[in-house]
Amino acid sequence: MPKSARLAVRKTYKLYIGGAFPRSESGRTFVVNGDNVALASRKDARDAVVAARAAQPKWAGATAYNRGQVLYRVAEMLEARRREFTSLGVKADELDAVIDRWVWYAGWSDKIAQVTGGANPVAGPFFNLSAPEPTGVVAVVAPASLLGLVSVIAPAVVTGNTVVVLAPEPQIAITLAEVLATSDVPGGVVNILTGKYAETAPWLAAHADVNALDLTGVTSGELAAELERTAAGTLKRVIRPRQDADFTADPGLRPMTALLETKTVWHPKGE
Amino acid sequence: MFEYAPAPESRSVVDIASSYGLFIDGSFSSSKEGGTFKTVNPATAEVLAEVAAAGHEDVDRAVAAARHAFGSWSALPGSERAKYLFRIARIIQERSRELAVLESLDNGKPIKESRDVDLPLVAAHFFYYAGWADKLAYAGFGPDPRPLGVAGQVIPWNFPLLMLAWKIAPALATGNTVVLKPAETTPLSALFFADVCRQAELPPGVVNIVTGAGDTGAYLVQHPDVDKVAFTGSTEVGREIARSVAGTGKRLTLELGGKAANIVFDDAPIDQAVDGIVNGIFFNQGHVCCAGSRLLVQESIAEELLFSLKRRMSTLRVGDPLDKNTDVGAINSAAQLARITELSEIGASEGAERWSPACELPDRGFWFAPTIFTGVTQAHRIAREEIFGPVLSVLTFRTPAEAVEKANNTPYGLSAGIWTEKGSRILAISSKLRAGVIWANTFNKFDPTSPFGGYKESGYGREGGRHGLEAYLA
C-alpha cells in the first residue's frame, strides 16, 4: 500500500428512531456487503412505535401546505444525494422514478381531502361532510428496492400518518433516513429499523398502539398470513403483500386511501 | 299525562308461511342436511315460522350459484344492472307496509321505526346504488373499476332489512353477486327480500340467501370461492373473521361494535339535547352499534340535564311493537336480554346508581325498561363494554379537553355526539374525536349518500355513499 493512500472513513449504518440514529439497544449487528449494520430488536421496534405515536398528532395537525413543502424538500435532498445512492447500486433510472414518485406524492398533501372527501347530499336538512383522516401509526414491512421503499413510505406520511418501517436493504434505507433527517421531516414521523423483519414484524403486528400494517414487502406467504392473523387481534388495517407489484406504474389512490379513515360529521341545517 | 288508546297496526298485510327454505339460484329449497330452526316474535315469544338451517353443502350450492351468475351479471352493462336495482327499490316501496310489519314482528322494533326509518332507508339505498351502476368510472377508483366476484355477507339482527340493503345494493351495483346470511333470530325479511328479487326478475344466483346460525356464517366467510367478505356484528366475531380470512387474499370489510360518547356542553340547548340523548340510546331499544351509550355531560349542567332526561324518559311508551304509539319495543332475544340484564347488574354492583322510569312491562316476550346509570366512571364495565340495549351510562366532565380524552378512551371508534351552540367548538371537538361518524346537535341519522363506518376496533371500511363502492371494486 503506497504511503500517500488515504484511508476512507467508513459510515456506520444505525437505526433511525425519533429523528436520531441510535444503535440497536440490543447491541446486535449483522454484516451486509461488508458493513456492520444494526440488527433491530423487539425493544427497538417498541421504541420506534413510541416515537411514531408521539409525532403523529402534530404531523397530522400540520397544514396540508406545510406537509407538502416538507415532502417536496425530501425530493430536493434525494436529487442532491443521487451519487450516494448510485454508489449503493441504485440505477439512474430508478433514482429518477424515486424522485419523481416522491414529488408526485408531495403534491397530494393538499388534494387528497378534496378528492376523497366532500359534502354528502343527504335527504334532510343537514349539513353533512366527509373528510379523510390519517389512520395513525403504520407499521410497514418495506420492499427491498429504494423505489419500493419510497412507494410505501410516501403515501403513508403524506396523508398524516407516521410510520415504523422495517427495511430489508439497510444501507439504502438508512441513507434515505439521512435524507429525511435533513429535510425538515419532524423526528418520529418516519422511523426505520434494519434487520430481520421476520423477527420484529410479529411484535409490530400485535402492538396495540399500531393502527395499520403494510405487508407490501413480505416475501413469505406463510409469514404474511401469520402477521395478518396477529393483526386481527387489534383489528388493524392490513395492506397485503404484493409480490408482483410494479412500482413504476401509476399507483393510483389506493396506497393513500388504505391508510385513511373517513370521518363524517352531521349537523342540522335550519333556522 | 293522558293515556293513549291502543293503536295497533294490522298484521293482516303480512302472510307468514309456516316454514321457509333457503333461497339459492333463484328458488327456495330445503336444507340438504334437513336442519331447521324457529324464529320467534320477541314481543310475545310466539313462533313465527320454521326456517331452514343451511349446512356446508347448502352454502357450497349457494356460492356455486353466485359464481355461475357472476359471469353474466358482471358482463351486463351497468345501465341494465341499474334497472334491476331500481325495480327492487320500487317493489320495496310498494311493499313497504308489509315489510315494516314483518320486520317489527320478527325483530321486536316499534312499527313507527320500521315504517318511518328502516323501510324508507332500505328503498333509498337501492335507489342510490342503482344510480351508481352505470357511473362507476366516475367514482374515483380508477377509470376501469372491476367487480371482485362472489361476496359472502353476514348481517346482524338489529336492522335486518336495512343491513341487507347496505350489503346487497352496492355489491350488485358494482357487478358482484352475493350470498347473504341473515341473523338467526331475524331471518324473515331477508327471505321476503328473496321474493322481491323474484318479482324484479333478477337473474337466478345473483342474490342467494342462506339462513342459519353462526356456523353457517363462519363456513360462508371461509369458503374458498368467496372473493369478498362483508360483516356487520360484534367486534368479537369480527376479530374471528379477520383471523379466518388471513392469508387468503379475500377482501374484507367489518362494521363492528361501538361505545359512542354523546357529549353535552354547558351551552347546549337542553331540550334538544335531551331528545338527542333519548334518540341516541333508546332508538331501536339501543340495539344500535353506533348508539350513544355513554353520555358525557359538563358538570355544571349535569343536574339540570338529568332532571330533564328522567322526565323525558318517563314519557317513553314501552310495549307492543305493532302499536303505533310505542317508542321502545321488545329486546330481540332471550340471549340478548340476558346479556343486558347481566351487564346492568354488574353496573349496579360496581357502584353506579341505576334508575328507570316507572313502566309496566308485558308479561310475555323479552323486555327491558329504559335504564340510566349515574355516577359512572371510566373503569366501570358498563362504560367500557358494549351493552347493545336501552342502557345509558352517564359520566361528567369539566373541560373540553377532558371530554375529548374520555370520549376517546375506548378501543371502539364508531360514532360520537356533540351538543353545543358554539360552531367553532363543534369543529374543534369533532376533529379531535377518533370516530367515523359524528353527529353534532343531532344523533342516529342515516342516509345512503353518507358514508358510515368506524375507526379502531369498530372495524374497517365504509358503507354508504361513494365510499361504500370501494369495498366491492378491484
Side-chain angles (χ1 to χ4, degrees):
Chain A
M1 193 181 284
K3 261 189 163 178
S4 61
R6 181 183 168 274
L7 193 62
V9 176
R10 279 192 187 159
K11 184 155 103 187
T12 303
Y13 291 95
K14 296 191 279 188
L15 306 174
Y16 182 51
I17 300 175
F21 291 88
R23 299 176 199 280
S24 168
E25 62 77 39
S26 64
R28 301 181 307 170
T29 58
F30 66 120
V31 181
V32 180
N33 300 333
D35 290 321
N36 285 316
V37 300
L39 179 58
S41 69
R42 168 186 167 187
K43 175 69 162 64
D44 294 320
R46 287 210 309 263
D47 290 348
V49 173
V50 170
R53 173 59 62 196
Q56 203 274 326
K58 202 172 170 206
W59 178 241
T63 64
Y65 180 52
N66 178 233
R67 260 185 284 131
Q69 295 276 299
V70 171
L71 262 72
Y72 186 72
R73 176 73 178 152
V74 173
E76 290 178 356
M77 298 306 284
L78 279 167
E79 191 79 60
R81 285 178 177 249
R82 289 184 75 106
R83 194 183 302 166
E84 191 172 356
F85 283 108
T86 309
S87 74
L88 290 171
V90 182
K91 299 270 190 306
D93 57 347
E94 186 188 354
L95 264 173
D96 291 346
V98 162
I99 294 161
D100 292 355
R101 174 60 40 85
W102 199 281
V103 170
W104 187 76
Y105 273 117
W108 270 113
S109 71
D110 51 6
K111 297 164 192 74
I112 188 73
Q114 289 179 312
V115 172
T116 64
N120 305 306
V122 298
F126 296 95
F127 178 70
N128 180 297
L129 275 186
S130 289
E133 287 193 346
T135 301
V137 172
V138 182
V140 183
V141 181
S145 69
L146 180 61
L147 183 55
L149 193 59
V150 302
S151 296
V152 290
I153 294 177
V157 298
V158 73
T159 47
N161 297 284
T162 55
V163 295
V164 175
V165 183
L166 307 180
E169 283 285 347
Q171 286 93 337
I172 287 175
I174 296 304
T175 303
L176 177 67
E178 288 160 7
V179 168
L180 298 168
T182 51
S183 307
D184 305 330
V185 177
V189 170
V190 179
N191 304 276
I192 298 182
L193 305 175
T194 54
K196 303 187 173 91
Y197 67 67
E199 184 190 327
T200 31
W203 300 107
L204 292 170
H207 200 301
D209 206 27
V210 171
N211 302 96
L213 184 64
D214 180 344
L215 301 179
T216 300
V218 178
T219 50
S220 147
E222 208 173 304
L223 178 65
E226 187 52 43
L227 292 171
E228 278 189 51
R229 262 190 295 279
T230 305
T234 47
L235 289 161
K236 284 184 181 62
R237 283 77 179 125
V238 178
I239 297 177
R240 306 239 177 76
R242 290 179 306 179
Q243 283 351 310
D244 56 343
D246 174 9
F247 294 115
T248 62
D250 179 350
L253 297 182
R254 284 277 166 87
M256 287 183 284
T257 56
L259 299 174
L260 289 168
E261 299 287 353
T262 297
K263 179 183 276 178
T264 300
V265 181
W266 292 66
H267 192 278
K269 194 164 67 177
E271 287 169 48
Chain B
M1 197 177 63
F2 76 93
E3 285 300 311
Y4 286 86
E9 174 64 86
S10 170
R11 283 181 66 151
S12 67
V13 292
V14 185
D15 192 7
I16 300 177
S18 59
S19 72
Y20 286 91
L22 310 166
F23 185 68
I24 297 174
D25 208 17
S27 61
F28 284 98
S29 60
S30 52
S31 161
K32 287 284 178 209
E33 288 165 24
T36 61
F37 60 97
K38 293 176 168 62
T39 184
V40 303
N41 177 347
T44 60
E46 150 209 13
V47 173
L48 292 169
E50 205 172 73
V51 178
H56 291 189
E57 223 182 304
D58 302 304
V59 173
D60 289 345
R61 274 196 300 141
V63 172
R67 172 63 58 196
H68 180 73
F70 175 67
S72 48
W73 180 250
S74 57
L76 212 57
S79 54
E80 296 300 301
R81 285 203 306 273
K83 284 191 267 182
Y84 282 110
L85 288 170
F86 280 126
R87 273 190 188 180
I88 289 172
R90 273 284 187 256
I91 295 168
I92 286 167
Q93 286 178 322
E94 286 151 11
R95 294 177 65 175
S96 73
R97 175 186 284 249
E98 175 196 358
L99 292 167
V101 172
L102 177 76
E103 197 80 318
S104 283
L105 282 172
D106 203 19
N107 169 281
K109 63 174 68 197
I111 185 70
K112 74 173 180 191
E113 290 178 6
S114 51
R115 180 194 63 195
D116 298 346
V117 180
D118 293 44
L119 261 300
L121 279 172
V122 170
H125 269 84
F126 280 100
F127 264 102
Y128 176 75
Y129 279 110
W132 268 123
D134 56 358
K135 301 170 189 69
L136 296 174
Y138 300 92
F141 304 114
D144 185 27
R146 306 298 308 157
L148 299 169
V150 175
Q153 307 178 317
V154 177
I155 58 170
W157 45 260
N158 58 341
F159 292 93
L161 203 50
L162 183 59
M163 292 301 104
L164 174 148
W166 282 25
K167 294 282 182 291
I168 291 185
L172 297 197
T174 46
N176 298 273
T177 55
V178 307
V179 179
L180 177 128
K181 190 200 85 73
E184 188 184 1
T185 61
T186 56
L188 292 183
S189 52
L191 295 167
F192 274 56
F193 178 78
D195 193 49
V196 171
C197 293
R198 291 213 296 196
Q199 265 188 294
E201 292 170 17
L202 191 71
V206 171
V207 168
N208 304 275
I209 311 281
V210 290
T211 44
D215 53 341
T216 305
Y219 187 69
L220 173 60
V221 302
Q222 289 166 30
H223 197 290
D225 206 26
V226 162
D227 303 289
K228 193 255 165 347
V229 169
F231 171 76
T232 294
S234 72
T235 292
E236 194 187 323
V237 175
R239 237 189 280 279
E240 278 308 307
I241 292 176
R243 280 199 189 101
S244 75
V245 305
T248 64
K250 283 177 194 167
R251 290 273 289 270
L252 177 63
T253 42
L254 301 170
E255 294 289 355
L256 309 177
K259 195 71 193 173
N262 204 354
I263 307 168
V264 184
F265 287 95
D266 56 7
D267 64 343
I270 294 281
D271 287 347
Q272 285 168 36
V274 164
D275 250 25
I277 294 161
V278 166
N279 181 39
I281 186 63
F282 301 122
F283 173 67
N284 206 45
Q285 298 72 248
H287 297 333
V288 187
C289 47
C290 51
S293 55
R294 285 184 298 154
L295 173 63
L296 300 185
V297 53
Q298 199 151 16
E299 205 174 87
S300 50
I301 56 157
E303 204 177 319
E304 182 190 358
L305 182 111
L306 283 170
F307 177 80
S308 293
L309 178 61
K310 288 176 176 177
R311 188 179 56 191
R312 176 69 183 86
M313 283 171 66
S314 303
T315 67
L316 289 174
R317 303 168 70 86
V318 183
D320 182 6
L322 284 193
D323 190 317
K324 292 168 202 158
N325 293 322
T326 292
D327 298 303
V328 180
I331 299 304
N332 182 253
S333 65
Q336 187 56 28
L337 179 58
R339 174 170 170 80
I340 298 168
T341 305
E342 187 199 346
L343 274 164
S344 297
E345 278 160 10
I346 288 167
S349 73
E350 286 184 349
E353 194 182 324
R354 178 176 183 163
W355 183 88
S356 289
C359 103
E360 221 172 283
L361 299 178
D363 47 14
R364 290 188 307 155
F366 317 127
W367 302 92
F368 198 90
T371 298
I372 58 172
F373 281 97
T374 51
V376 178
T377 74
Q378 297 184 82
H380 281 126
R381 277 184 65 187
I382 50 169
R384 307 208 64 80
E385 293 179 31
E386 188 177 37
I387 300 174
F388 224 67
V391 180
L392 179 67
S393 296
V394 185
L395 297 89
T396 59
F397 67 89
R398 287 187 179 174
T399 63
E402 188 188 348
V404 168
E405 199 170 313
K406 283 183 168 169
N408 286 339
N409 181 18
T410 166
Y412 295 114
L414 186 50
S415 65
I418 304 169
W419 298 85
T420 173
E421 289 284 48
K422 197 172 171 189
S424 62
R425 179 176 285 158
I426 291 170
L427 298 176
I429 301 293
S430 64
S431 69
K432 289 177 188 139
L433 294 174
R434 300 283 292 159
V437 184
I438 294 172
W439 288 290
N441 293 324
T442 184
F443 210 94
N444 266 346
K445 293 290 184 289
F446 306 94
D447 191 273
T449 67
S450 182
F452 180 93
Y455 283 42
K456 302 196 277 186
E457 296 192 11
S458 289
Y460 29 80
R462 292 292 178 273
E463 292 183 291
R466 185 191 67 82
H467 296 75
L469 296 166
E470 187 173 12
Y472 292 94
L473 291 172

